[in-house]
Amino acid sequence: MKGLQNKVIIVTGGAGGIGSATCKRLAEEGAKVAIFDMNLEAAEKLAHEINSQNGQALAIKCDITQSDVVEQAVQQIEKELGPVDGLVNNAGWDIFKPFVKTNPQEWEKLIQINLVGMLNMHFAVLKGMVARNSGSIVNIASDAARVGSSGEAVYAACKGGLVSFSKTLAREHSRNNIKINVICPGPTDTALLAGVTEGASNPEKLREAFVRAIPLGRLGQPEDLASSIAFFLSDDASFITGQVLSVSGGLTMNG
Ligand SMILES: NC(=O)c1ccc[n+]([C@@H]2O[C@H](COP(=O)([O-])OP(=O)(O)OC[C@H]3O[C@@H](n4cnc5c(N)ncnc54)[C@H](O)[C@@H]3O)[C@@H](O)[C@H]2O)c1
């Protein structure tokens, strides 16, 4: 892909399933990757793996729900790697329960991680991108935002908010040459999905139901997402902004 060489790109939740595949793919494309995650041990392990294969990566412990921590982490990246060219808002969390069985503490945690966290991240990087008149942001939502998903009401509300926030910011910052796009994974084989299915009364049945619903007949793999994320960040996508792409084996076929 064009234009990723030496670009400084932050990936939140970079040590998780989709995040780590994305960090590896971006490093293969020549980018300098900043792995932001709560799980520093996993982030450092991934950075070591990328650096030992001639890539460039830096692990940073960052809880995206804390605005001061996010500001400091972004400043550290700018000092150590250079100005931020790209951001992937990928960190996320979910629980699988009918809405009436959830409680306000669970809503609060879902909203903090899936909605407030990405607001903090945009706020921290956009000032620099505006000043440089350049930048690309990819936000990881979910097909739950587009078509709904039983058992994920508050999560879907956060991801729906992320989609409309992204379209609004894409309009606000088009004059600054900043592109903002959204990718919606469907069920993808990661720890998050394992957690979701474990919360169901029959986890194996739920997994089978997910696969049956996907026209291409399998769960997504993290690498399926990583390639689309890298594309949106690259110069190959320089005329694309405010768009929402489902990467889910045909689960959602939106016009
Ligand atoms: N896996 C799926 O089926 C699926 C489907 C639709 C959307 N998604 C979305 O894809 C994204 C990646 O999910 P995944 O499946 O790779 O999950 P994952 O659980 O494998 O990884 C999530 C990562 O986010 C990190 N994280 C959690 N809270 C954080 C915080 N406050 N600050 C910093 N890091 C934090 C975790 O430590 C973990 O490394 C999420 O936004 C998720 O909502 C996933």
Side-chain angles (χ1 to χ4, degrees), residues 44 56 88 92 98-99 121 149 154 167 170 172 182 196 207 209 222:
E44 281 180 334
Q56 298 180 81
V88 184
F99 177 63
M121 288 303 308
S149 177
V154 180
K167 289 179 183 175
E172 284 186 14
V182 180
V196 165
R207 238 178 119 88

Side-chain angles (χ1 to χ4, degrees), residues 123-235:
F123 202 72
V125 304
L126 272 169
K127 287 161 279 188
M129 288 181 174
V130 168
R132 293 185 294 277
N133 204 42
S134 169
S136 180
I137 298 177
V138 180
N139 291 324
I140 310 305
S142 168
D143 268 356
R146 306 188 94 176
V147 293
S149 177
S150 300
E152 301 182 285
V154 180
Y155 172 83
C158 294
K159 296 297 193 179
L162 174 56
V163 171
S164 45
F165 177 78
S166 304
K167 289 179 183 175
T168 301
L169 272 197
R171 289 184 187 279
E172 284 186 14
H173 289 289
S174 52
R175 71 178 69 99
N176 309 118
N177 189 35
I178 298 168
K179 273 83 65 182
I180 303 175
N181 292 292
V182 180
I183 288 187
C184 291
T188 306
D189 206 0
T190 68
L192 185 143
L193 185 72
V196 165
T197 50
E198 272 156 28
S201 52
N202 187 335
E204 199 42 46
K205 218 169 156 193
L206 181 62
R207 238 178 119 88
E208 283 167 15
F210 280 146
V211 172
R212 258 200 319 277
I214 297 170
L216 288 178
R218 64 169 175 85
L219 292 178
Q221 293 302 317
E223 294 71 22
D224 293 321
L225 280 302
S227 49
S228 304
I229 295 167
F231 166 71
F232 271 142
L233 291 166
S234 77
D235 287 351

